[in-house]
Amino acid sequence: MSQVKPSLASNATGLDTAAPILRLPKTSESETLKKIRHTTSHVMAMAVQKLFPKAQVTIGPWTEQGFYYDFDTPEAFTEQDLKAIKKEMVKIIHKQLPITCEVMSRADAEQRIRALGEPYKLEILAGLKEPITLYHLGDLWWDLCAGPHVETTAQLNPKAIALESVAGAYWRGDETKAQLQRIYGTAWETPEQLAEYQRRKEESLKRDHRKLGKELGLFLFTDIVGPGLPLWTPKGTILRSTLEDFLKQEQTQRGYLPVVTPHIARVDLFKMSGHWQKYSEDMFPMMAENEAERLREQGFVMKPMNCPFHIQIYKNELRSYKELPMRLAEFGTVYRYEQSGELGGLTRVRGFTVDDSHLFVTPDQLDAEFLNVVDLILEVFKCLQLKNFKARLSFRDPTSDKYIGTDEVWEKSQNAIRRAVEKLGMEHFEGIGEAAFYGPKLDFIFTDVLEREWQLGTVQVDYNLPERFDLEYVAEDGSRQRPVMIHRAPFGSLERLIGILIEQYAGDFPLWLAPEQVRLLAVSEDFLPFCEDVANQMRSLGVRVLVDQSGDRLGKLIRNSEKAKIPVMAVVGAKEVEANALNIRTRKSGELGELQVTDVLARLKTALAERGDF
Ligand SMILES: [Zn+2]
Ligand SMILES: [Zn+2]
């Protein structure tokens, strides 16, 4: 029996192979891009009305990715239409039309619009403040707009503009109103920027965790369960519990104590914490037994946060300074009432699990405990190979009333965070208005391979909740003192972390995280018993291994294993059985050839213990 060895497809571990990235300007930060995109969207609208005289224009703002414009048109635009529209746009650009502003009163603008016969513009006008500005493209076309724009269409580069897609949209985003056709486009300063943007978009589609999550069979969403509520398959659950176990192990070494708390509680608990007053719009509506209970606000709510529960456990006994710091930890699932329109994949969900912990410390212990927490977070990031992050000091906006607690307490907590960051010599920036309502935070903002930013771990200093819940401990001198709380979550949420990891690794999990670590492929079923025997030896080391029993030909077995992105696959034929060996290929390093079973076992053991490669 001959052993077929198809060559290993290029291993797409992504991280190391990603091409250097051209830094793209952000629309929100670049006046030039804003002008280009604004003007391009008008040029597009003008082109649409030239080609489709019945089309009515509505609104067309710039976005971080480009721009869009909504049209009321009798028929949906096709791919073909987009091409024609782009062609027409190029013609308009080449006319080098000056863009001029005309300022007028509401009455004059209304007259102008009525003469044009575009009812949407009248509705838009109603929402504008005087003076009204019209922008003209030459003397051929105008629109209501506040700018900014470039001076002439000659400043637009047709090679840096692309029309991307069409989608349905509703006027004012309201399903009961007219259905419109939205054209998405993008425009940049140079063709190079456009090319880089398109490359990045393609790459992000390839890495999209919603797509990969499905292909790898990690999680799913169903309509009948509801949006934003992921269901975790066995593979996804293995991934989750591997991450949980990893953090639990780190926490146990650092003196954390496990707790478990319920998913719902009386609304009173959240009145005392202040969540109900400051946060109720983001909570699921109260469950009440009857109308009277609902009116008295005495029902139950799903928990949006775990803190008040951990506080109850602390408060159950009079604590002594000898018990502090007390670090209570829970993988606590919380529920937040996100708008259904904002939900997508794992990065925004309605039910998610926070790797939550609350540390109750004496004021003297605060600085050291804060540093310990940061140390843990950095260790976690290191193990997950998340390297590209910066620290944000998320402080309150002193002009806003959404925070609880006095100025003095806020100063004190913000200073504690500043001290920690300075002591660590950590690169950081301040985010004013990014604090939690009860205290400032140190947030870790991760930049992925596509230069998108995600918030991961967080640490918060809190003097307010201990005050609101009247927490105490008995100090060394016998006096009653108030502890300080630290809220922290290195992952942030398991769901979001997994979404980010899938995209970061492009689905190629490091060995220790992979739901299936090793797959054994028998050249023929004669060798299945040998495979099972080896698999059992691996299992006794805690390796997640599968023997492919499908009976398919080797080529197909290998393709399936690659598609499932199994880190290590081992081919077994007559030669291997005779030599008590395995023919190994890995996603990371390709073909390793024949290795003794005992060698393979030893290498697996080491790799797993060190969370390293095979
Ligand atoms: Zn404009
Ligand atoms: Zn908390």
Side-chain angles (χ1 to χ4, degrees):
M1 194 163 304
S2 75
Q3 194 163 312
V4 195
K5 284 186 193 163
S7 70
L8 190 77
S10 74
N11 67 336
T13 46
L15 266 183
D16 314 320
T17 56
I21 286 173
L22 173 77
R23 189 160 285 278
L24 289 179
K26 283 191 179 156
T27 327
S28 51
E29 289 162 8
S30 161
E31 225 25 52
T32 314
L33 264 195
K34 270 182 214 164
K35 288 180 182 173
I36 288 175
R37 290 186 177 165
H38 231 283
T39 313
T40 309
S41 75
H42 292 305
V43 169
M44 180 174 81
M46 179 175 162
V48 166
Q49 288 197 311
K50 173 97 195 291
L51 297 175
F52 305 89
K54 282 185 189 149
Q56 300 235 342
V57 300
T58 67
I59 53 156
W62 59 264
T63 65
E64 280 301 338
Q65 308 293 324
F67 61 87
Y68 65 82
Y69 217 117
D70 289 349
F71 301 93
D72 189 341
T73 129
E75 273 172 70
F77 296 117
T78 62
E79 279 294 309
Q80 231 26 53
D81 293 340
L82 285 192
K83 280 194 189 125
I85 294 166
K86 171 76 197 290
K87 228 172 176 179
E88 188 61 34
M89 288 170 71
V90 177
K91 276 192 215 161
I92 295 169
I93 290 169
H94 286 155
K95 282 184 184 149
Q96 312 201 348
L97 301 175
I99 290 133
T100 51
C101 178
E102 190 183 357
V103 184
M104 60 178 62
S105 68
R106 180 182 304 280
D108 286 347
E110 198 176 317
Q111 208 176 6
R112 203 72 81 80
I113 294 169
R114 289 199 191 278
L116 198 67
E118 293 210 23
Y120 289 100
K121 281 198 164 57
L122 280 180
E123 278 195 54
I124 294 168
L125 179 68
L128 298 179
K129 284 200 188 105
E130 278 193 294
I132 306 300
T133 50
L134 301 192
Y135 274 86
H136 293 264
L137 297 188
D139 52 7
L140 301 173
W141 195 85
W142 61 266
D143 202 357
L144 286 168
C145 187
H149 303 100
V150 296
E151 287 140 24
T152 143
T153 59
Q155 288 167 1
L156 301 177
N157 184 342
K159 292 204 172 76
I161 294 172
L163 299 189
E164 304 184 288
S165 59
V166 185
Y170 291 99
W171 173 236
R172 304 283 194 211
D174 181 342
E175 286 174 36
T176 64
K177 298 207 162 119
Q179 162 109 55
L180 307 173
Q181 292 294 314
R182 173 173 297 178
I183 299 182
Y184 286 98
T186 190
W188 297 85
E189 291 171 43
T190 64
E192 290 73 29
Q193 284 182 356
L194 174 64
E196 170 59 18
Y197 160 75
Q198 287 172 330
R199 185 195 71 78
R200 212 176 275 189
K201 197 171 163 188
E202 204 175 297
E203 184 67 28
S204 76
L205 287 177
K206 245 191 330 203
R207 288 170 180 262
D208 190 323
H209 74 271
R210 290 165 295 188
K211 177 174 162 278
L212 281 172
K214 203 172 184 178
E215 284 171 15
L216 299 175
L218 299 173
F219 59 87
L220 56 130
F221 292 92
T222 69
D223 285 342
I224 199 164
V225 171
L229 299 167
L231 302 169
W232 293 88
T233 62
K235 277 191 178 173
T237 306
I238 289 170
L239 181 57
R240 278 175 72 104
S241 37
T242 306
L243 285 164
E244 280 183 27
D245 293 346
F246 155 58
L247 186 56
K248 279 180 188 161
Q249 199 184 329
E250 291 288 329
Q251 287 178 170
T252 307
Q253 285 168 11
R254 292 163 198 254
Y256 284 74
L257 305 170
V259 293
V260 173
T261 65
H263 292 221
I264 66 171
R266 282 193 194 287
V267 70
D268 294 344
L269 180 67
F270 297 102
K271 283 184 186 168
M272 189 164 274
S273 67
H275 288 92
W276 187 247
Q277 295 87 324
K278 297 281 178 187
Y279 202 77
S280 59
E281 276 182 16
D282 298 312
M283 293 166 67
F284 273 88
M286 185 175 47
M287 294 167 264
E289 274 186 48
N290 51 50
E291 187 60 10
E293 193 182 81
R294 197 183 61 77
L295 287 175
R296 288 199 308 271
E297 286 192 348
Q298 285 180 330
F300 287 81
V301 288
M302 305 292 295
K303 66 170 160 183
M305 288 190 184
N306 299 303
C307 345
F309 295 84
H310 295 185
I311 288 172
Q312 294 303 303
I313 293 173
Y314 175 87
K315 216 176 141 68
N316 184 45
E317 286 171 43
L318 179 58
R319 305 292 177 179
S320 149
Y321 72 96
K322 290 177 191 158
E323 292 174 86
L324 306 189
M326 179 177 285
R327 312 171 184 93
L328 303 182
E330 173 179 23
F331 280 84
T333 303
V334 297
Y335 300 88
R336 297 192 189 164
Y337 201 31
E338 303 277 2
Q339 296 295 307
S340 60
E342 297 170 355
L343 303 172
L346 293 177
T347 42
R348 206 172 251 279
V349 283
R350 283 180 164 172
F352 56 93
T353 304
V354 183
D355 53 327
D356 221 346
S357 176
H358 295 95
L359 289 76
F360 301 85
V361 307
T362 71
D364 287 348
Q365 294 165 339
L366 177 63
D367 283 17
E369 273 307 301
F370 195 92
L371 291 176
N372 283 341
V373 168
V374 173
D375 184 65
L376 168 64
I377 293 179
L378 296 180
E379 178 66 25
V380 166
F381 287 179
K382 201 176 104 199
C383 290
L384 294 173
Q385 301 170 33
L386 297 172
K387 292 173 197 146
N388 199 3
F389 58 83
K390 49 195 175 184
R392 180 180 69 198
L393 278 51
S394 300
F395 288 170
R396 102 184 142 147
D397 171 2
T399 64
S400 165
D401 62 358
K402 68 177 184 189
Y403 306 99
I404 55 173
T406 63
D407 290 351
E408 191 202 337
V409 156
W410 274 87
E411 253 334 281
K412 211 154 73 170
S413 343
Q414 294 187 170
N415 284 338
I417 295 182
R418 271 202 198 96
R419 276 198 306 276
V421 168
E422 271 156 30
K423 183 147 190 202
L424 289 162
M426 220 161 36
E427 231 185 280
H428 61 273
F429 66 104
E430 285 190 14
I432 303 299
E434 302 282 354
F437 74 84
Y438 49 80
K441 309 186 284 171
L442 177 63
D443 292 320
F444 290 85
I445 311 292
F446 169 72
T447 307
D448 70 13
V449 283
L450 300 166
E451 280 212 344
R452 294 169 304 186
E453 288 185 345
W454 303 97
Q455 190 193 315
L456 281 175
T458 178
V459 201
Q460 307 167 10
V461 176
D462 180 7
Y463 288 87
N464 282 318
L465 291 184
E467 192 75 39
R468 289 179 80 92
F469 282 92
D470 192 23
L471 301 186
E472 290 183 331
Y473 66 90
V474 179
E476 206 168 350
D477 64 3
S479 66
R480 302 283 176 95
Q481 299 293 332
R482 183 88 69 220
V484 188
M485 273 175 77
I486 299 174
H487 309 240
R488 53 104 277 193
F491 295 164
S493 99
L494 263 174
E495 284 73 10
R496 164 175 287 206
L497 176 74
I498 290 176
I500 290 169
L501 290 181
I502 291 173
E503 299 194 0
Q504 181 69 5
Y505 303 138
D508 267 297
F509 290 102
L511 186 71
W512 69 278
L513 271 179
E516 185 185 336
Q517 295 164 324
V518 180
R519 191 176 288 188
L520 299 176
L521 314 177
V523 171
S524 92
E525 62 184 23
D526 299 345
F527 311 116
L528 285 175
F530 176 82
C531 288
E532 272 307 334
D533 179 50
V534 172
N536 280 332
Q537 294 180 56
M538 288 181 177
R539 285 185 193 113
S540 69
L541 296 177
V543 177
R544 297 186 285 268
V545 54
L546 194 107
V547 179
D548 192 324
Q549 305 275 6
S550 65
D552 287 327
R553 296 171 67 93
L554 184 61
K556 188 157 185 217
L557 299 183
I558 292 177
R559 273 196 305 280
N560 285 343
S561 169
E562 270 174 7
K563 233 168 97 190
K565 300 182 190 276
I566 314 297
V568 179
M569 70 171 118
V571 175
V572 174
K575 210 171 114 216
E576 284 76 22
V577 171
E578 189 157 330
N580 196 29
L582 299 170
N583 203 307
I584 298 282
R585 22 187 105 183
T586 71
R587 297 278 301 167
K588 185 102 185 167
S589 320
E591 198 108 13
L592 298 184
E594 198 176 285
L595 292 175
Q596 287 295 304
V597 170
T598 46
D599 280 353
V600 174
L601 292 173
R603 281 172 83 145
L604 281 171
K605 203 173 161 185
T606 313
L608 291 180
E610 291 170 357
R611 299 195 183 94
D613 294 321
F614 176 80

